[in-house]
Amino acid sequence: RTPIIIQLPIVPRKVEVIISPVGSDSAKLKTLDIGEIADKIYTLESSGGKNDGCRKLGLFNGYGYMQSTFHWKCYESQEEVRMLVINWLLENISKYGLEQALCRYNQGTITNDCRYVVNYKSL
């Protein structure tokens, strides 16, 4: 009879978003798996956590979230930073679309095409 310990937050592994088309009625709805997008960002930013600079401090951030020449943020758990990235993606993809959101995530600027999108699509 050992006590059961539940560690929070419980993070969904798969979050889907439906993006409605703008323009013609004949366009089809597109479903995006936000969890899969976050996984690909994790791969691009730190080779799946292998190059996570926060790990040296006992912390996590393999997503490159809130890390730049201006600040370097690390988090207590992998789940915490993943949820922040998923929330960021939900907000920005709905505003800018996937490709512009990815460029903004990586460069901080909104463009229609960037090397990050090319690398993302290659995964």
Side-chain angles (χ1 to χ4, degrees):
R1 292 186 181 184
T2 60
I4 297 174
I5 299 172
I6 298 176
Q7 186 176 7
L8 295 177
I10 297 173
V11 180
R13 286 290 178 200
K14 185 174 183 181
V15 178
E16 290 186 351
V17 175
I18 297 177
I19 307 241
S20 60
V22 177
S24 71
D25 294 331
S26 63
K28 295 182 180 178
L29 292 177
K30 183 175 182 179
T31 302
L32 298 175
D33 182 344
I34 299 297
E36 181 181 329
I37 296 167
D39 291 343
K40 288 183 178 184
I41 288 173
Y42 188 62
T43 299
L44 289 171
E45 294 291 332
S46 68
S47 299
K50 294 175 190 168
N51 299 315
D52 182 353
C54 291
R55 297 303 298 266
K56 295 174 187 173
L57 304 171
L59 300 169
F60 300 87
N61 189 345
Y63 295 89
Y65 184 74
M66 297 295 288
Q67 292 182 332
S68 70
T69 55
F70 304 109
H71 44 72
W72 190 264
K73 182 83 170 131
C74 297
Y75 298 90
E76 293 293 322
S77 71
Q78 176 75 17
E79 293 78 17
E80 177 185 9
V81 68
R82 179 179 172 80
M83 201 67 228
L84 291 168
V85 169
I86 286 173
N87 289 336
W88 188 97
L89 288 168
L90 288 169
E91 180 180 333
N92 284 272
I93 290 172
S94 67
K95 285 182 187 175
Y96 308 113
L98 177 60
E99 292 180 359
Q100 287 184 348
L102 287 171
C103 290
R104 182 168 188 248
Y105 185 87
N106 183 250
Q107 301 175 161
T109 57
I110 300 166
T111 59
N112 289 328
D113 59 343
C114 62
R115 186 76 189 152
Y116 198 73
V117 171
V118 172
N119 294 339
Y120 172 87
K121 288 181 177 180
S122 73
L123 296 178

